[in-house]
Amino acid sequence: MAKMRGGIRIGVSVSLQRDDALLSGLSGLGGVLRNAVGEAGEAAAAEARRLAPVRTGRLRDSIGCAVSEGENGSVQAAVGTNVPYAAAQELGTAKRPGKHFLERGMAAAGAALKR
């Protein structure tokens, strides 16, 4: 997993809270929720790496996933990169459209989880 420290961080995330209807059925199951969110995040990161534009491979190789737990009981997977030019690649510039590799990676992973 690529470390996401320093630099410009761009990414997408998914978060579930313990008071959601889904979580009420998971109470008492320990790390089940964290594992499920982590697997979804890793799937999104893998798809984002597949979709990322490649010139040198630095951007693709920097994409990672970090799972965290909030004070309110939420579990979050953040998928992103800290490569300085990632925002321009993801969102585009005045002269070039964005590639939306992070957004499309998260959408593809979400669609795969629904199957």
Side-chain angles (χ1 to χ4, degrees):
M1 176 173 80
K3 293 182 181 178
M4 296 189 297
R5 292 187 201 154
I8 296 171
R9 184 180 298 176
I10 183 169
V12 292
S13 65
V14 62
S15 178
L16 295 174
Q17 294 181 343
R18 291 191 200 282
D19 59 357
D20 290 344
L22 170 66
L23 297 182
S24 64
L26 294 177
S27 61
L29 295 179
V32 171
L33 177 61
R34 183 177 173 86
N35 290 341
V37 172
E39 286 178 20
E42 289 297 336
E47 185 65 9
R49 283 189 290 271
R50 189 185 74 74
L51 295 168
V54 178
R55 186 170 178 187
T56 64
R58 180 178 175 213
L59 174 62
R60 177 197 59 217
D61 295 345
S62 71
I63 297 170
C65 175
V67 178
S68 61
E69 295 181 30
E71 292 178 17
N72 62 353
S74 66
V75 179
Q76 181 177 39
V79 177
T81 173
N82 62 357
V83 171
Y85 52 87
Q89 289 291 328
E90 175 71 11
L91 304 172
T93 65
K95 296 182 179 184
R96 293 194 173 111
K99 306 292 186 192
H100 306 289
F101 58 95
L102 291 170
E103 178 184 344
R104 293 185 309 148
M106 186 63 85
L113 287 174
K114 290 180 183 178
R115 293 185 202 150

